[in-house]
Amino acid sequence: MKTLLALGLAAAASLAVPGMASAASKAEMYTHTLQSETESIGSYHIGGHDAFKIAEFDVDVAAKASWKGELSTVVGWDSTNVRQGETLTVARNSPLQSGELTVSWKVSGRVDVGDLAGGAFATKNVSDEAFCMPKLVGGAYECTAQSPALTLVKTPGIPASPYVKVVLKAKFSITPEGVVTNRTFSVAGTPSSAASGLSLAPTFGYEKIDVPCAPVGAAASYRLHALHYTPKVAVTQQPAIQVGLMDPVLGIAESPALVDAPFGAAVKTNPSFDLVGTGHTTQLGDILANNWAPIITPYYYFQGKAGTPITFTVGALGHCDIATYEWKFSNGTTSYGKTPQRTFATPGEYSVQLTVTDTSGMQAKKDFPITVLPADVRP
């Protein structure tokens, strides 16, 4: 079932890549995992009385948060262009995101309830997770983490004795932005080209990569790595205090709270989260043979005087670099190199055939006329 699902996702991804709908279109869908360091989101003090002056607080709260996200990512390409000297277009995007913020609070201090109960309590740690995906586009959005009610004071077994609880909340307001990533294109495991500061977003981004004239059959790969997601984040924290009494008969059950309301002023911070992803490598396939012969620039003729060296040079372009130039002259001689010289002793009409061979082995040939004038001819 997982295999069928993976094949279905890959097929859907292939169809979803604009401009890549040929039989040679390929696509890979995978998941990038992003993770932030644990960041402080602020500390605050709960001090003073509740609204009914049942309890007096001297409590400190320190809050931290870490953020983990996942990006469903699609990379698309045309396998026929994974070819010596070809320009390969690669598309990338992240259509789906998910994630969660984990918030932890450390609570310490004392709570006094007259002469009945209270005092210093052992340091308490509590946490909660908020569904908060690393959204890449659109307007600001919010997600909230809320702790379970944390008991600070409780005297079970004493009828009508007080209990005091605190609920901690952290509301995150996040302004989306795209993920920034680096890219490395490698052949046979060796980096061939790289780019930095590329965006990864729900819309497709396209990149053109020059495939080197590496050996046919060498494996080509495309890696997105060193991902960073650093949105603007604002956090608002405000605790809620619950104060009530145990039941008046056995003192075992908690009666409904007499006080259940936010306490103190809201605390606002702007933490900096940097969600980092190590990356993923997509195998593009083995490099195909160059199928484009070089082009030799047309040249009408060469001319010079008998007994004086004539320089031969023309332009030649190929998908792969030109490796050799071979000049075969009609007088039976041969020269090599891009700009050879040849001296003719006798005036007359000659010709030369140039053969160029690129690094992939593709060739092109062209014939050129040569006019050799008498040595005493004035220019």
Side-chain angles (χ1 to χ4, degrees):
M1 179 62 73
K2 288 184 178 180
T3 301
L4 291 174
L5 178 59
L7 290 173
L9 289 173
S14 179
L15 293 173
V17 181
M20 294 186 179
S22 71
S25 296
K26 302 290 184 181
E28 182 186 19
M29 177 178 281
Y30 58 88
T31 299
H32 274 127
T33 298
L34 305 179
Q35 178 70 58
S36 78
E37 298 287 342
T38 299
E39 303 291 344
S40 171
I41 59 172
S43 299
Y44 56 92
H45 183 71
I46 303 174
H49 294 275
D50 64 88
F52 291 158
K53 295 186 177 181
I54 296 175
E56 183 176 357
F57 306 99
D58 185 12
V59 176
D60 291 310
V61 179
K64 297 181 179 180
S66 62
W67 197 354
K68 182 178 181 180
E70 292 185 340
L71 307 178
S72 295
T73 307
V74 176
V75 171
W77 71 99
D78 188 330
S79 62
T80 60
N81 291 330
V82 184
R83 185 183 299 277
Q84 292 175 320
E86 189 61 80
T87 298
L88 173 68
T89 299
V90 179
R92 65 184 184 278
N93 84 324
S94 175
L96 299 171
Q97 304 86 40
S98 62
E100 58 189 23
L101 272 159
T102 300
V103 181
S104 60
W105 294 272
K106 179 180 179 180
V107 184
S108 59
R110 62 182 293 121
V111 177
D112 294 305
V113 186
D115 297 327
L116 298 178
F121 56 86
T123 298
K124 300 177 182 292
N125 294 282
V126 65
S127 64
D128 185 41
E129 294 179 347
F131 173 73
C132 208
M133 64 180 176
K135 193 174 178 182
L136 307 181
V137 294
Y141 64 102
E142 294 181 347
C143 48
T144 300
Q146 177 174 308
S147 75
L150 186 63
T151 300
L152 303 181
V153 174
K154 189 174 181 179
T155 52
I158 301 177
S161 62
Y163 66 84
V164 180
K165 296 182 178 182
V166 62
V167 176
L168 306 171
K169 297 182 181 180
K171 182 172 71 175
F172 295 80
S173 178
I174 301 165
T175 302
E177 69 171 33
V179 169
V180 175
T181 179
N182 293 346
R183 182 273 298 165
T184 300
F185 177 76
S186 298
V187 176
T190 301
S192 174
S193 66
S196 60
L198 303 179
S199 66
L200 183 59
T203 55
F204 274 98
Y206 296 89
E207 186 181 8
K208 293 186 180 296
I209 299 173
D210 292 330
V211 180
C213 291
V216 173
S221 63
Y222 178 90
R223 179 172 176 78
L224 296 179
H225 58 101
L227 285 77
H228 288 272
Y229 178 65
T230 55
K232 182 179 179 181
V233 179
V235 184
T236 301
Q237 296 190 79
Q238 188 171 32
I241 297 295
Q242 299 174 355
V243 181
L245 302 176
M246 305 301 290
D247 73 84
V249 179
L250 299 176
I252 297 175
E254 295 177 358
S255 299
L258 300 173
V259 178
D260 186 354
F263 189 92
V267 177
K268 298 184 178 182
T269 58
N270 297 99
S272 297
F273 288 97
D274 183 3
L275 280 73
V276 177
T278 55
H280 177 85
T281 299
T282 296
Q283 300 300 328
L284 303 179
D286 295 341
I287 290 183
L288 304 174
N290 177 24
N291 60 357
W292 287 87
I295 298 174
I296 299 174
T297 304
Y299 225 87
Y300 291 106
Y301 64 92
F302 294 100
Q303 180 177 291
K305 293 182 180 183
T308 301
I310 300 173
T311 299
F312 295 87
T313 181
V314 297
L317 298 174
H319 276 203
C320 296
D321 293 338
I322 304 302
T324 63
Y325 294 77
E326 182 183 57
W327 307 77
K328 289 188 175 181
F329 296 92
S330 57
N331 64 357
T333 59
T334 302
S335 292
Y336 299 91
K338 189 174 182 179
T339 57
Q341 289 186 330
R342 173 68 55 179
T343 301
F344 295 86
T346 305
E349 297 296 325
Y350 299 85
S351 65
V352 61
Q353 183 181 73
L354 171 63
T355 300
V356 297
T357 305
D358 67 20
T359 55
S360 73
M362 296 292 286
Q363 291 186 336
K365 296 183 178 182
K366 197 169 189 66
D367 294 322
F368 298 96
I370 306 169
T371 299
V372 178
L373 303 173
D376 58 355
V377 171
R378 292 176 179 270

